[in-house]
């Protein structure tokens, strides 16, 4: 009788032990699951600084708006790179700002134009250079883009209009004050910069 009682107690203790271990494992797994969900939710949350105040934004909203940011970055780069005045300091400032948005392909194009005397001609002729964006096409799959616009060179006696078609690639990087969209343009090149018209200004 005593032996049976001992065996029964051993079985009960064994059952309780197994149940305790199973329950502990369940608690651990449940805790890990909720911890994983919490981490995933935190990853989908992005804080945007608005006038010094952090504002919570969901990553899904940011990703939905990403194509717009890509186009804004492409337009901003071209506006900075091609908006020039007959002022060496102004030109250098705009070019420097544009270089934060692009890889070394932008520096190569700047050096190429500089060696051709393009910037010296702008200063010597007191010309103003501006661009007009017609359209920007973005391929989200291949992460490349095409910029279509026109370049206007306004001189004292004439206005020269040139076609401006460029292409390149883009890549996500960390946002910074100098690159607020968090996009770097890569392998950029000018495909077409042919002259469309050369209109003489009326002189009175």
């Amino acid at each position: 009788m005593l032996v049976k009682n001992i065996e029964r107690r051993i079985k009960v203790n064994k059952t309780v032990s197994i149940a305790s271990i199973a329950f502990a494992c369940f608690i651990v797994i449940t805790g890990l699951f909720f911890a994983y969900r919490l981490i995933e939710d935190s990853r989908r949350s992005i804080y945007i600084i608005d006038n010094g105040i952090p504002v919570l934004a969901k990553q899904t909203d940011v990703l939905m708006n990403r194509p717009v940011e890509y186009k804004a970055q492409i337009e901003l780069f071209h506006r900075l790179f091609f908006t020039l005045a007959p002022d060496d300091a102004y030109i250098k400032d705009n070019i420097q700002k544009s270089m934060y948005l692009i890889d070394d392909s932008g520096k190569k194009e700047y050096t190429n134009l500089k060696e051709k005397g393009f910037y010296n001609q702008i200063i010597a002729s007191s010309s103003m250079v501006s661009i007009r964006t017609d359209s920007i096409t973005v391929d989200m799959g291949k992460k490349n883009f095409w910029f279509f616009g026109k370049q206007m060179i306004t001189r004292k006696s004439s206005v020269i209009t040139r076609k401006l078609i460029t292409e390149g690639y883009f890549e996500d990087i960390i946002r910074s004050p100098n690159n607020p969209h968090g996009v770097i343009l890569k392998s950029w090149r000018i495909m077409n910069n042919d002259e469309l018209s050369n209109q003489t200004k009326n002189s009175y």
Side-chain angles (χ1 to χ4, degrees), residues 14-190:
K14 187 176 180 180
T15 303
V16 171
S17 298
I18 293 173
S20 299
I21 293 171
F23 182 72
C25 291
F26 173 76
I27 294 296
V28 171
I29 293 172
T30 303
L32 290 174
F33 174 75
F34 282 107
Y36 176 78
R37 289 289 300 273
L38 185 63
I39 292 171
E40 286 296 307
D41 288 340
S42 66
R43 285 178 178 173
R44 284 195 291 266
S45 298
I46 297 174
Y47 286 91
I48 300 173
I49 303 299
D50 183 13
N51 293 324
I53 301 172
V55 179
L56 180 63
K58 286 294 183 182
Q59 189 178 25
T60 50
D61 296 334
V62 175
L63 292 177
M64 285 177 63
N65 199 44
R66 204 60 176 143
V68 177
E69 288 193 293
Y70 291 143
K71 289 185 178 182
Q73 183 84 334
I74 295 164
E75 197 279 333
L76 176 61
F77 165 76
H78 284 81
R79 180 159 48 84
L80 287 171
F81 193 88
F82 290 105
T83 300
L84 308 170
D87 183 320
D88 188 54
Y90 180 88
I91 292 173
K92 287 181 179 178
D93 184 58
N94 262 21
I95 294 297
Q96 184 178 6
K97 289 177 181 177
S98 71
M99 291 299 108
Y100 287 110
L101 313 179
I102 196 168
D103 67 356
D104 60 351
S105 60
K107 182 67 179 297
K108 288 178 181 177
E109 188 59 42
Y110 167 69
T111 302
N112 181 45
L113 291 172
K114 189 175 182 180
E115 289 177 350
K116 289 181 178 179
F118 175 71
Y119 300 106
N120 288 335
Q121 291 176 17
I122 296 298
I123 295 171
S125 61
S126 297
S127 301
M128 293 290 298
V129 182
S130 60
I131 65 165
R132 185 184 73 203
T133 303
D134 292 332
S135 65
I136 298 172
T137 302
V138 172
D139 187 326
M140 295 296 292
K142 296 180 180 178
K143 287 203 167 186
N144 61 335
F145 70 86
W146 295 267
F147 175 92
F148 301 91
K150 291 180 178 61
Q151 180 185 36
M152 283 73 69
I153 303 174
T154 305
R155 296 175 176 170
K156 292 180 180 179
S157 59
S158 64
V159 177
I160 299 172
T161 302
R162 290 180 174 274
K163 184 184 296 184
L164 182 60
I165 300 176
T166 73
E167 73 166 352
Y169 294 82
F170 55 88
E171 183 178 303
D172 294 330
I173 61 171
I174 297 174
R175 296 173 190 262
S176 70
N178 292 317
N179 194 325
H181 295 297
V183 182
I184 190 78
L185 306 185
K186 303 176 69 177
S187 303
W188 175 70
R189 58 177 180 162
I190 298 173

